[in-house]
Amino acid sequence: MQEKNNEKILVIGACGQIGVELTAALRAKYGNENVVASDIREESKLIKGTGPFVILDAMDAEATRNLVKKEKITTIYLLAALLSATGEKNPKLAWELNMGSLRQILDLCVDEKIKLFWPSSIAVFGPTTPRENTPQRTVVEPTTMYGITKYTGELLCQYYNRRFGLDVRSVRYPGLISWKSPPGGGTTDYAVEIFYGAIKEKTYTSFLSENTYLPMMYMDDAIRATIEIMEAPAEKIKSRIAYNLSAISFSPKEIAESIKSQIPDFKISYAPDFHQPIADSWPQSIDDSVARADWGWKHEYDLEKMVADMLKNLKEKLKKG
Ligand code: SER
């Protein structure tokens, strides 16, 4: 059902893993014409023909300002970013893109009274953080450039809220698992690649060791969380530092076992690489009780339900080619 047609939304980074699904969900809710999708890349075929699309460099302040004014944008979802693994390959660009885009959008949102969603990540935590049931408030000493940009961004968002009254909201996404659009450049990407390996070749070599536990979430839950935090009454958003968000925690061995229950001849092997130390610096599981208490967050997908849905949808997608 469509609603709230006075909203005009801009999604920046709409062709990425989260972007394509968030754009589709927002269009279903607010009307196709009321959600402008943008990306520096060419339009993804997953959103093509479903609403307006503009090529936009998230670091280009002037182009973004012109677009926002022309389209009378009221809400922005800023998803453009370099993730953890790509960020370690090019830390300078990770800082420039992740910080440069956020800084210019924060100023624009203050000037034009726009509401902002900006995603943070479990990557804000580092090796000195308690690794199990990591609390909302704890030691935060990230060791990846991606994590450093995310925590700096959280502090900036909180600053702009306190100083300028900007309505900016954020969550710390865990690793996100989806079948529609592939992830790009993250340490948690193995948990998506494993499904492609299982269906296509019945085998997969994990770049993380068998007992590396990480916090994860199915994309359906992540999209719902994003829209729910944005739609919550402002007084419920008591933290303008990003909220911990949690659903599932598993290791490569555990997800492989779960896949094997449906594809019995699936085989996994392990060849840890440069992703391993990044994963080892992150929490294994997250305590998100503050998000649950403040704005009613609740996940739906556990490991079994997620694996069943992934295998069903990905098999169909790969059959169609
Ligand atoms: N999925 C991200 C990554 O692995 C974490 O935010 O980089």
Side-chain angles (χ1 to χ4, degrees), residues 17 83-85 120-123 146 173-176 185-189 282:
Q17 188 197 12
L83 298 192
S84 60
S120 187
S121 160
I122 53 163
Y146 175 62
Y173 287 130
L176 299 181
T187 301
T188 54
D189 294 7
W282 288 352

